[in-house]
Each structure stands twice: as C-alpha cells, then as structure tokens.
C-alpha cells in the first residue's frame, strides 16, 4: 500500500508547486523582480554616465538628482490622482510602457553622445551637446515619474487586491516584495557595474536598453495574466462611484412625469418637455488650475488621514546620512576603508534588511501591526546609539572648531579654483549623487579610526533590521486604512514627503561637506529619526489607547485597531 500512496502524493505535490508558480501572487513577484532589477541598474548607471559625459564633474548628476526629487515632490499627488481615476490595468500598462520606452530612448541617446561627443562639442559652439544633456535629463526624469506611478499602483493597490481580506497574506506579500528590493538593490548595480568595467559605457547603455525592451514585453504579459487571475482588479471604487451616479441620474429621468399621448397628437406645445442643455465645457483657466487643485486636495486629504502621523514619521527617516548611500560610503573612504571592505559592509546591510522583513512578519503575528512599528522603532533607535557613541570616540574626525561652511566660503572667496581634491561619489536610489571632500590620506584604515568607524557601521548595519520592519509596518497601515478610491493620491503625497526629506538631507550635506562635520550630521540624523518615531508613538497612542502595551495575537487585535482607526477620523 506504501507504493500507491507515494504515487498519489507525488502528483499532489507537483500540482501544488505548479499551482503556486502560475498563481497571481507569484506572477506579481516575478514582474516586480524584473521591474526592480531594471530600475536599480538604470538608477546606478545613469549617474555614472552623466559623470563621465561631463568630464568627471558632478554637475550633471547633481542637476539630475534635483530635477528628479523636485518633480516627484511637485507631481506626486497628481500622479496618484491619475492612478485613482483610471482603470487598474490601463494605469499599470501605461506607466510600464512609458517608463521602459523612456529608458530605451535615453540609452540610445547616451550611446550616440558617447560615440560622437567630440563632434557634437564643436557644433554651434557646444549648444547641440548641451541640448543632448537637457534631453537626457528630461527623458530620465519622465522614466522616474512613470516608475513612481508603477510603484504606487502595484505595491500599494494591486497587492492589496490580490491579498484579498487576509491581512496575514498581505503582510507576507509586502515582506517578499521588500526582500526582492533588498536583493536587487545590491546585485543589479554589481551586474551592470561589471559590464561597464570590462566593457565600456556604450556597451552598458546598449545592455540596459536591451534589457528594458525584453523586460517590458515580459512584464506586460505578466500584468495581463495577474489581471485575468484576479477578477477583483477589474472593479475599482472610483469607477463604481461614477456608475452609481449615472444610475441615479437615469432613475431621476425615469421618475419624471411623461406627457400623455393625446398631448402629442393635439400638438400641445405647453406640455412638451424641453431638451436638457449641455453642460458648458471648462474654460482654459479652469483646466490650467485643475492640477493645482489636485495638488492642494491631495495634501489636505493626506493630512486628514488617520495614519498621517505614521506616514510623516516614516518620511522623517529619510532625513539621515546613516545609510549605505553616497554620503556614508564617501565618509568611510575619507577614513581609509577600502572598496572591498565597503562592498562587504553593503552585503551585510542587505542581509540585515532581509532579517528585518522576517522580523516584521513574526512580530505582526504575535503583537499586532501597530505594536510592531513601536518595537521596530525602539530597535532602530537602540542600534543608532552606537553611531552617536562613534562620534565621540578616539579617531573620530569631529572638530567643532572647524566651521562646516568653511569649504563653501573658500570656494566663493578665492578667485582661482581650488586644486582638485580626491572625492568619492556613489549614486543614491533616486539617482542623485552627493560627495564629501576627501583629504589626501594614506591608503588603509588608521589605527585611531578603527574604533570610531567600526561603531558607526555596526550601528548602521544593525539598525537596518528595525528600519525595514518599520517601513513595512507603515506601508501596510497605509494599505489597510486608506480607502480604495484615495490609495493613489495618498501614496503619491507620501512619496513626495519622502523625497522632500531626502532632498533636505542632501542639502544639509552640501552645506557641510567636510569630514570634520560628519559627526554633526550624524547627530542631526539621529534626532530626525527619533522625531519620526515619536510621531509614530503618538499615532499608536491614539489608535490603541490603553491597550498600547498589551501584547497579544493579531486576530484579537484586528477589530480593535479598525475601530480605533475609524474613531480617529
């Protein structure tokens, strides 16, 4: 009997695997992986390309970063409103095509500029080359805006619908998506960096353009399959509301008294029902003012959300230099860390980030969603204490007697440009690059700096567990508490808030670029992180009340949380 039973089990196991591989959830993961991989390659490469184009200057990259941040800041609410007012499949496919076609065009233009840069430089006194730079930055910015729309519709709306009413399934899907983000954030730049190192910038442009072309076709097909497998995606709250209004109008028309047939035969003109006059079309001024009204309404609606303080707390976490972006790695270089050590530290940060997603799912089951954010925030702040301690340890370059603005003043006061000092720059996630002025130093880490730098990076790496768990908590709070008809515009404003604080932290580094001032930046960063978690604590206090510290299973807590959320409104 054992043999037939084993044979019966094998088809069942294979069938369950095949069912999972063809499920809407898995197809969504595959599409997100392809999209994120292409995004990470492009964000890394475009900054490097702009640096190489402008003679190893960071001007174009800085302009690109400011344009990207400013565009999302201004247009985030408008993009979200467009996501809300259109059908899901149309939004996803349109943003996908616009994003990938923009990257392909930008890659082709970059290839042409790299191949014919000397010729373009002599045409019309260099204005043709300048026009190419403007065109590249403009198209790259359009690609980033389309990527923002894709992220809003897939990560904030489609995932909620595919998960259904199951909050645990939604938490697992959010965690899996964030793990994909963590892996691609490390592996994609490494892959395209190897291609550019052993090949050339032209080969890198061609590879990225080809990847986006193939990826666009595959992602388009996957979106269509997910849409087919999830009928609920075809029903949208905004469209249902419009249909209900039309039905009400039809009911009113049918309820109106109709003139008798004899009146028509007798030609009674007094009983004739006049035809309704068409509504006047909006004027040019009203059409121009519509985006401004959308921008205003989006921010007002965001401020009225029950999860406003939680979202604002998450945005404050972007005002920090304590991450593996260009700033912290540039500081590490000034202290003598080698590139190989930095790559190992970045890998360790990816591992702790994935551990944060695992911790999120476990904490949510045991303590509930709101309390998971409190625990995650406490864990992050506890780890960042090591960063604060590192500022005052022996070997730290902190010197409060050196004005943080000394480097800027000297550049403006001196008539002649300063000699080029070695600098370190790495592209950030949004494409912007900020540098720290690196003094001349001997290669290798000095004995005095070992303790300070070790504590700094130990705190940054360990804090990633709490950071990503907190990020997932706020993400799911927005998914669960924002009504379906406003998911797009609210998450668009949230993106704008994140970019605003991220932009402020880059401005802070531009004003104080010296390594001697980095310790001051660390203290300011920890202060902003603490303020963000204080805001979240206030949100949790309003939501849970006296049950704030009563840890229990999520099944018992879920009804109380929803009631608390509605009472806040």
């Amino acid at each position: 009997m054992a043999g037939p039973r084993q044979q019966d089990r094998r088809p069942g196991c294979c069938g369950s695997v095949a069912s999972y591989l063809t499920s809407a959830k898995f197809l969504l993961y595959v599409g997100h992986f392809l999209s994120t991989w292409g995004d990470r390659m492009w964000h890394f490469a475009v900054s490097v390309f702009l640096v190489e184009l402008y003679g190893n200057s960071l001007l174009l990259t800085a302009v690109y970063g400011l344009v990207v941040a400013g565009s999302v800041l201004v247009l985030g609410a408008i993009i979200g409103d467009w996501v809300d007012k259109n059908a899901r499949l149309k939004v996803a496919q349109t943003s996908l095509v616009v994003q990938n076609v923009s990257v392909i065009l930008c890659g082709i233009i970059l290839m042409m500029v790299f191949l014919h840069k000397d010729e373009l430089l002599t045409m019309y006194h260099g204005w043709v080359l300048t026009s190419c730079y403007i065109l590249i930055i403009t198209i790259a910015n359009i690609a980033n805006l389309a990527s923002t729309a894709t992220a809003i519709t897939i990560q904030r709306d489609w995932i909620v619908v595919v998960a259904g009413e199951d909050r645990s399934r939604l938490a697992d899907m959010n965690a899996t998506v964030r793990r994909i983000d963590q892996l691609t954030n490390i592996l994609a730049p490494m892959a395209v960096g190897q291609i550019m190192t052993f090949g050339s910038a032209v080969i890198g442009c061609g590879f990225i353009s080809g990847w986006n072309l193939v990826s666009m076709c595959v992602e388009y097909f996957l979106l269509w399959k997910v849409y087919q497998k999830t009928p609920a995606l075809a029903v949208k709250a905004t469209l249902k509301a419009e249909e209900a209004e039309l039905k009400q109008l039809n009911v009113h028309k049918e309820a109106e008294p109709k003139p008798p047939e004899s009146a028509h035969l007798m030609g009674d003109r007094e009983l004739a029902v006049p035809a309704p006059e068409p509504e006047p079309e909006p004027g040019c001024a009203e059409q121009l003012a519509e985006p401004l009204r959308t921008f205003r309404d989006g921010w007002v609606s965001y401020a009225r959300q029950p999860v406003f303080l939680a979202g604002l707390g998450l945005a404050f976490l972007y005002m920090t230099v304590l991450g593996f972006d260009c700033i912290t790695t540039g500081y590490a270089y000034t202290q003598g860390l080698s590139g190989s050590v930095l790559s190992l530290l970045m890998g360790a940060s990816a591992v702790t980030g994935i551990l944060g997603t695992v911790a999120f799912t476990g904490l949510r089951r045991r303590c509930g969603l709101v309390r998971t954010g409190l625990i995650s925030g406490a864990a992050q702040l506890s780890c960042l204490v090591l960063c604060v301690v590192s500022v005052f340890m022996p070997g730290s370059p902190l010197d409060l007697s050196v004005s943080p603005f000394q480097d800027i003043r000297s550049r403006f006061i001196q008539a002649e440009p300063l000699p080029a000092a070695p600098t370190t720059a790495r592209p950030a996630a949004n494409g912007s690059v900020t540098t720290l002025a690196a003094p001349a130093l001997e290669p290798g880490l000095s004995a005095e700096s070992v303790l300070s730098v070790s504590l700094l990076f130990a705190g940054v790496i360990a804090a990633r567990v709490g950071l990503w768990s907190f990020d997932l908590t706020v993400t799911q709070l927005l998914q669960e508490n924002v009504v379906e008809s406003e998911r797009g515009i609210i998450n668009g404003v949230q993106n704008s808030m994140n970019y605003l604080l991220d932009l402020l932290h880059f401005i802070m580094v531009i004003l104080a670029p010296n390594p001697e001032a980095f310790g001051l930046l660390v203290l300011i960063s920890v202060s902003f992180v603490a303020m963000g978690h204080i805001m979240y604590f206030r949100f949790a206090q309003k939501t849970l009340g006296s049950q704030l510290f009563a840890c229990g299973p999520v099944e018992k807590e879920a009804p109380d949380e929803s009631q608390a959320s509605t009472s806040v409104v």
Side-chain angles (χ1 to χ4, degrees), residues 312-358:
L312 190 61
L314 176 63
F316 265 61
L317 268 59
Y318 282 75
M319 179 67 176
T320 177
V321 297
L322 300 174
F324 277 90
D325 58 1
C326 52
I327 297 168
T328 307
T329 53
Y331 170 76
Y333 179 80
T334 67
Q335 300 306 297
L337 282 182
S338 63
S340 60
V341 173
L342 282 173
S343 63
L344 291 175
L345 293 175
M346 293 180 68
S349 73
V351 173
T352 54
I354 294 173
L355 290 177
T357 64
V358 176

Short mmCIF file of all heavy atoms in Angstrom, two decimals, residues 312-358:
data_model
loop_
_atom_site.label_atom_id
_atom_site.label_comp_id
_atom_site.label_asym_id
_atom_site.label_seq_id
_atom_site.Cartn_x
_atom_site.Cartn_y
_atom_site.Cartn_z
N LEU A 312 4.10 60.49 8.26
CA LEU A 312 5.04 61.57 8.46
C LEU A 312 6.28 61.08 9.21
O LEU A 312 7.41 61.50 8.92
CB LEU A 312 4.36 62.70 9.23
CG LEU A 312 5.13 64.02 9.34
CD1 LEU A 312 5.39 64.61 7.96
CD2 LEU A 312 4.36 65.01 10.21
N GLY A 313 6.06 60.16 10.15
CA GLY A 313 7.20 59.58 10.86
C GLY A 313 8.12 58.81 9.93
O GLY A 313 9.35 58.89 10.05
N LEU A 314 7.54 58.07 8.98
CA LEU A 314 8.36 57.35 8.00
C LEU A 314 9.15 58.33 7.14
O LEU A 314 10.32 58.09 6.83
CB LEU A 314 7.47 56.46 7.13
CG LEU A 314 8.17 55.71 5.99
CD1 LEU A 314 9.19 54.73 6.54
CD2 LEU A 314 7.16 54.99 5.11
N ALA A 315 8.53 59.43 6.73
CA ALA A 315 9.22 60.41 5.90
C ALA A 315 10.42 61.01 6.64
O ALA A 315 11.46 61.26 6.03
CB ALA A 315 8.25 61.51 5.47
N PHE A 316 10.30 61.23 7.94
CA PHE A 316 11.40 61.80 8.71
C PHE A 316 12.62 60.89 8.73
O PHE A 316 13.74 61.36 8.94
CB PHE A 316 10.94 62.11 10.14
CG PHE A 316 10.48 63.52 10.33
CD1 PHE A 316 9.40 64.02 9.60
CD2 PHE A 316 11.12 64.38 11.19
CE1 PHE A 316 8.97 65.32 9.76
CE2 PHE A 316 10.71 65.68 11.36
CZ PHE A 316 9.63 66.16 10.64
N LEU A 317 12.41 59.60 8.51
CA LEU A 317 13.54 58.67 8.49
C LEU A 317 14.41 58.85 7.25
O LEU A 317 15.52 58.30 7.20
CB LEU A 317 13.03 57.23 8.57
CG LEU A 317 12.92 56.62 9.97
CD1 LEU A 317 11.99 57.44 10.86
CD2 LEU A 317 12.44 55.19 9.92
N TYR A 318 13.92 59.58 6.25
CA TYR A 318 14.71 59.86 5.05
C TYR A 318 15.71 61.00 5.27
O TYR A 318 16.60 61.19 4.47
CB TYR A 318 13.79 60.21 3.88
CG TYR A 318 13.14 59.01 3.24
CD1 TYR A 318 12.09 58.34 3.86
CD2 TYR A 318 13.58 58.52 2.02
CE1 TYR A 318 11.50 57.23 3.29
CE2 TYR A 318 13.00 57.41 1.44
CZ TYR A 318 11.96 56.77 2.08
OH TYR A 318 11.38 55.66 1.51
N MET A 319 15.55 61.75 6.34
CA MET A 319 16.45 62.86 6.65
C MET A 319 17.62 62.31 7.47
O MET A 319 17.79 62.61 8.66
CB MET A 319 15.69 63.94 7.43
CG MET A 319 16.51 65.12 7.85
SD MET A 319 17.09 66.12 6.48
CE MET A 319 17.90 67.45 7.36
N THR A 320 18.46 61.50 6.84
CA THR A 320 19.55 60.86 7.56
C THR A 320 20.71 60.57 6.62
O THR A 320 20.50 60.30 5.43
CB THR A 320 19.07 59.55 8.23
OG1 THR A 320 20.18 58.92 8.88
CG2 THR A 320 18.50 58.60 7.20
N VAL A 321 21.91 60.64 7.17
CA VAL A 321 23.11 60.24 6.43
C VAL A 321 23.53 58.82 6.82
O VAL A 321 24.55 58.32 6.34
CB VAL A 321 24.28 61.21 6.71
CG1 VAL A 321 23.96 62.59 6.21
CG2 VAL A 321 24.65 61.23 8.19
N LEU A 322 22.76 58.18 7.68
CA LEU A 322 23.11 56.86 8.20
C LEU A 322 22.51 55.76 7.34
O LEU A 322 21.64 55.00 7.77
CB LEU A 322 22.65 56.73 9.66
CG LEU A 322 23.26 57.77 10.60
CD1 LEU A 322 22.65 57.67 11.98
CD2 LEU A 322 24.78 57.60 10.66
N GLY A 323 22.93 55.71 6.12
CA GLY A 323 22.51 54.66 5.19
C GLY A 323 23.64 54.40 4.22
O GLY A 323 24.62 55.15 4.16
N PHE A 324 23.51 53.31 3.47
CA PHE A 324 24.59 52.97 2.54
C PHE A 324 24.37 53.69 1.21
O PHE A 324 24.20 53.07 0.16
CB PHE A 324 24.68 51.45 2.35
CG PHE A 324 25.46 50.78 3.43
CD1 PHE A 324 24.84 50.34 4.57
CD2 PHE A 324 26.83 50.65 3.33
CE1 PHE A 324 25.56 49.74 5.58
CE2 PHE A 324 27.57 50.06 4.34
CZ PHE A 324 26.93 49.60 5.47
N ASP A 325 24.36 55.01 1.28
CA ASP A 325 24.30 55.80 0.06
C ASP A 325 25.66 56.46 -0.15
O ASP A 325 26.65 56.10 0.50
CB ASP A 325 23.17 56.84 0.13
CG ASP A 325 23.34 57.78 1.32
OD1 ASP A 325 24.33 57.63 2.06
OD2 ASP A 325 22.48 58.65 1.51
N CYS A 326 25.70 57.41 -1.06
CA CYS A 326 26.97 58.01 -1.43
C CYS A 326 27.62 58.75 -0.27
O CYS A 326 28.85 58.85 -0.19
CB CYS A 326 26.74 58.98 -2.58
SG CYS A 326 25.43 60.18 -2.26
N ILE A 327 26.83 59.24 0.68
CA ILE A 327 27.39 60.10 1.72
C ILE A 327 28.18 59.28 2.73
O ILE A 327 29.34 59.56 3.04
CB ILE A 327 26.25 60.88 2.41
CG1 ILE A 327 25.57 61.79 1.39
CG2 ILE A 327 26.77 61.69 3.58
CD1 ILE A 327 24.28 62.39 1.86
N THR A 328 27.55 58.24 3.28
CA THR A 328 28.22 57.44 4.30
C THR A 328 29.41 56.70 3.72
O THR A 328 30.48 56.60 4.36
CB THR A 328 27.23 56.45 4.92
OG1 THR A 328 26.07 57.16 5.38
CG2 THR A 328 27.84 55.72 6.10
N THR A 329 29.27 56.16 2.51
CA THR A 329 30.40 55.46 1.90
C THR A 329 31.52 56.43 1.56
O THR A 329 32.71 56.07 1.63
CB THR A 329 29.94 54.70 0.65
OG1 THR A 329 29.24 55.61 -0.22
CG2 THR A 329 29.02 53.55 1.01
N GLY A 330 31.17 57.66 1.17
CA GLY A 330 32.20 58.66 0.92
C GLY A 330 32.96 59.01 2.18
O GLY A 330 34.19 59.15 2.18
N TYR A 331 32.24 59.13 3.30
CA TYR A 331 32.90 59.38 4.58
C TYR A 331 33.82 58.21 4.95
O TYR A 331 34.94 58.41 5.45
CB TYR A 331 31.86 59.60 5.66
CG TYR A 331 32.42 59.62 7.06
CD1 TYR A 331 33.11 60.73 7.53
CD2 TYR A 331 32.29 58.51 7.89
CE1 TYR A 331 33.65 60.75 8.81
CE2 TYR A 331 32.82 58.51 9.17
CZ TYR A 331 33.50 59.63 9.62
OH TYR A 331 34.03 59.63 10.88
N ALA A 332 33.35 56.99 4.72
CA ALA A 332 34.17 55.82 5.04
C ALA A 332 35.47 55.84 4.23
O ALA A 332 36.53 55.46 4.72
CB ALA A 332 33.39 54.54 4.76
N TYR A 333 35.38 56.30 2.99
CA TYR A 333 36.58 56.38 2.16
C TYR A 333 37.57 57.39 2.72
O TYR A 333 38.78 57.16 2.71
CB TYR A 333 36.20 56.74 0.73
CG TYR A 333 37.39 56.87 -0.20
CD1 TYR A 333 37.98 55.74 -0.74
CD2 TYR A 333 37.92 58.12 -0.51
CE1 TYR A 333 39.08 55.84 -1.58
CE2 TYR A 333 39.00 58.24 -1.35
CZ TYR A 333 39.58 57.09 -1.89
OH TYR A 333 40.68 57.20 -2.70
N THR A 334 37.06 58.51 3.23
CA THR A 334 37.97 59.50 3.81
C THR A 334 38.67 58.98 5.06
O THR A 334 39.73 59.46 5.44
CB THR A 334 37.21 60.79 4.18
OG1 THR A 334 36.29 60.52 5.25
CG2 THR A 334 36.47 61.34 2.98
N GLN A 335 38.07 57.98 5.71
CA GLN A 335 38.67 57.39 6.89
C GLN A 335 39.57 56.21 6.57
O GLN A 335 40.12 55.59 7.49
CB GLN A 335 37.57 56.96 7.86
CG GLN A 335 36.68 58.10 8.33
CD GLN A 335 37.47 59.24 8.92
OE1 GLN A 335 38.14 59.09 9.94
NE2 GLN A 335 37.41 60.40 8.27
N GLY A 336 39.69 55.86 5.30
CA GLY A 336 40.64 54.84 4.89
C GLY A 336 40.08 53.47 4.60
O GLY A 336 40.84 52.53 4.38
N LEU A 337 38.75 53.30 4.59
CA LEU A 337 38.17 52.00 4.26
C LEU A 337 38.36 51.70 2.77
O LEU A 337 38.17 52.59 1.93
CB LEU A 337 36.68 51.96 4.61
CG LEU A 337 36.31 51.76 6.09
CD1 LEU A 337 34.81 51.70 6.24
CD2 LEU A 337 36.95 50.52 6.66
N SER A 338 38.68 50.47 2.44
CA SER A 338 38.87 50.09 1.04
C SER A 338 37.54 49.75 0.39
O SER A 338 36.53 49.52 1.07
CB SER A 338 39.81 48.88 0.96
OG SER A 338 39.23 47.75 1.59
N GLY A 339 37.55 49.67 -0.92
CA GLY A 339 36.34 49.34 -1.65
C GLY A 339 35.84 47.94 -1.36
O GLY A 339 34.63 47.70 -1.31
N SER A 340 36.76 47.00 -1.16
CA SER A 340 36.34 45.63 -0.88
C SER A 340 35.64 45.54 0.47
O SER A 340 34.63 44.85 0.62
CB SER A 340 37.56 44.70 -0.91
OG SER A 340 38.52 45.09 0.07
N VAL A 341 36.16 46.27 1.46
CA VAL A 341 35.51 46.26 2.77
C VAL A 341 34.14 46.91 2.70
O VAL A 341 33.16 46.43 3.30
CB VAL A 341 36.40 46.99 3.81
CG1 VAL A 341 35.68 47.15 5.14
CG2 VAL A 341 37.71 46.25 4.00
N LEU A 342 34.03 48.00 1.94
CA LEU A 342 32.73 48.65 1.79
C LEU A 342 31.72 47.74 1.12
O LEU A 342 30.53 47.71 1.50
CB LEU A 342 32.90 49.94 0.98
CG LEU A 342 33.45 51.15 1.73
CD1 LEU A 342 33.71 52.29 0.77
CD2 LEU A 342 32.49 51.57 2.83
N SER A 343 32.14 46.98 0.12
CA SER A 343 31.22 46.06 -0.54
C SER A 343 30.74 44.98 0.42
O SER A 343 29.56 44.59 0.39
CB SER A 343 31.90 45.44 -1.76
OG SER A 343 33.01 44.66 -1.36
N LEU A 344 31.63 44.49 1.29
CA LEU A 344 31.23 43.50 2.29
C LEU A 344 30.24 44.11 3.28
O LEU A 344 29.26 43.45 3.69
CB LEU A 344 32.45 42.97 3.03
CG LEU A 344 33.42 42.10 2.22
CD1 LEU A 344 34.65 41.76 3.06
CD2 LEU A 344 32.73 40.83 1.74
N LEU A 345 30.46 45.35 3.67
CA LEU A 345 29.53 46.01 4.59
C LEU A 345 28.17 46.22 3.94
O LEU A 345 27.12 46.07 4.60
CB LEU A 345 30.12 47.35 5.04
CG LEU A 345 31.37 47.28 5.92
CD1 LEU A 345 31.90 48.69 6.20
CD2 LEU A 345 31.08 46.56 7.22
N MET A 346 28.15 46.56 2.66
CA MET A 346 26.88 46.71 1.96
C MET A 346 26.14 45.39 1.87
O MET A 346 24.92 45.32 2.01
CB MET A 346 27.12 47.29 0.56
CG MET A 346 27.62 48.72 0.56
SD MET A 346 27.91 49.37 -1.11
CE MET A 346 26.24 49.46 -1.71
N GLY A 347 26.88 44.30 1.64
CA GLY A 347 26.25 42.98 1.64
C GLY A 347 25.67 42.64 3.00
O GLY A 347 24.57 42.08 3.10
N ALA A 348 26.40 42.98 4.07
CA ALA A 348 25.88 42.74 5.42
C ALA A 348 24.62 43.56 5.68
O ALA A 348 23.68 43.08 6.33
CB ALA A 348 26.96 43.08 6.45
N SER A 349 24.57 44.79 5.16
CA SER A 349 23.37 45.61 5.35
C SER A 349 22.17 45.01 4.62
O SER A 349 21.03 45.08 5.11
CB SER A 349 23.63 47.03 4.86
OG SER A 349 23.69 47.08 3.43
N ALA A 350 22.41 44.39 3.45
CA ALA A 350 21.32 43.73 2.74
C ALA A 350 20.80 42.54 3.53
O ALA A 350 19.58 42.29 3.59
CB ALA A 350 21.79 43.29 1.35
N VAL A 351 21.71 41.80 4.15
CA VAL A 351 21.30 40.65 4.96
C VAL A 351 20.45 41.09 6.15
O VAL A 351 19.39 40.51 6.44
CB VAL A 351 22.54 39.86 5.44
CG1 VAL A 351 22.14 38.77 6.43
CG2 VAL A 351 23.27 39.24 4.27
N THR A 352 20.89 42.14 6.86
CA THR A 352 20.11 42.62 7.99
C THR A 352 18.77 43.22 7.54
O THR A 352 17.78 43.13 8.27
CB THR A 352 20.90 43.66 8.79
OG1 THR A 352 21.33 44.72 7.89
CG2 THR A 352 22.11 43.04 9.44
N GLY A 353 18.75 43.81 6.35
CA GLY A 353 17.48 44.29 5.82
C GLY A 353 16.49 43.16 5.59
O GLY A 353 15.30 43.28 5.90
N ILE A 354 16.97 42.04 5.05
CA ILE A 354 16.11 40.87 4.84
C ILE A 354 15.66 40.30 6.19
O ILE A 354 14.50 39.88 6.35
CB ILE A 354 16.85 39.82 4.01
CG1 ILE A 354 17.10 40.35 2.59
CG2 ILE A 354 16.07 38.51 3.95
CD1 ILE A 354 17.96 39.45 1.74
N LEU A 355 16.57 40.30 7.18
CA LEU A 355 16.18 39.86 8.52
C LEU A 355 15.07 40.76 9.09
O LEU A 355 14.20 40.28 9.83
CB LEU A 355 17.40 39.89 9.44
CG LEU A 355 18.47 38.82 9.19
CD1 LEU A 355 19.65 39.02 10.15
CD2 LEU A 355 17.89 37.42 9.34
N GLY A 356 15.10 42.04 8.72
CA GLY A 356 14.04 42.95 9.16
C GLY A 356 12.69 42.56 8.60
O GLY A 356 11.66 42.66 9.29
N THR A 357 12.64 42.11 7.34
CA THR A 357 11.37 41.66 6.77
C THR A 357 10.87 40.39 7.44
O THR A 357 9.67 40.21 7.62
CB THR A 357 11.53 41.42 5.26
OG1 THR A 357 12.45 40.34 5.03
CG2 THR A 357 12.05 42.66 4.56
N VAL A 358 11.79 39.51 7.83
CA VAL A 358 11.41 38.29 8.56
C VAL A 358 10.89 38.65 9.94
O VAL A 358 9.88 38.11 10.42
CB VAL A 358 12.60 37.32 8.65
CG1 VAL A 358 12.23 36.10 9.48
CG2 VAL A 358 13.05 36.89 7.26
#
